[in-house]
Amino acid sequence: KNKGGKVIYVQKKFSGLTRHLNSMNYPLDWYFEFQKELIDLFAEEINFEFVYKHAQGQEWAEDSILRYIEDKGCGNIHVSKEQFLKTLESADRVITDIPFGAFFEAIVSGKPVLCICPDNFKMIEETKITFGKSLQRFSSIEESKRIIKEFLYGNPKDYIVNIPMSDNGFIDTFRE
């Protein structure tokens, strides 16, 4: 059972459902439909154990996606409300849907990680070089599911990011 290992899926956090000029925010109704499609995909992938990492303070999820997961009653999908780093310890792979905190924490842990985000999320060319297959954009929910399947069945080493270190400060890496 679950020969593919444990996969942690980390939901995007919505900050009080406010919008910021410098922050990517998804329409909540689209995001709910997107998450339902991912949960359906996870339910089909019975060779894997999936952990839906629920972020505290995300009340919108209580009556929507968490209820959807509970109603599906899949034995290979569990919800975790523990801190992400605690959940990360037992992960074989990690999936995020926005390149924020959990994505970078998973990278530093050395775990295979996949971050998928809609193609309207703009990225500079260097991100493709630095993050490789671990950071991918999609144009449709179906494409996101295809990318996830490639991650699940692909070589995990292809999704481990080695961020080069230097004597310069962290901010210097973003200067031209």
Side-chain angles (χ1 to χ4, degrees), residues 9-11 28 38 67 72 99 101-102 111-112 136 141 152 167:
Y9 167 68
V10 185
Q11 72 174 39
L28 205 50
L38 295 187
R67 181 165 292 160
K72 270 194 106 49
K111 306 273 183 178
Q136 297 189 45
I141 292 174
L152 295 176
D167 293 333

Side-chain angles (χ1 to χ4, degrees), residues 17 46 48 53 65 99 104 106 120 135 142 150 172:
L17 300 181
I46 58 173
F48 295 88
K53 175 56 191 94
I65 197 65
F104 295 101
N120 62 347
L135 181 58
E142 285 305 311
E150 287 174 5
D172 292 337

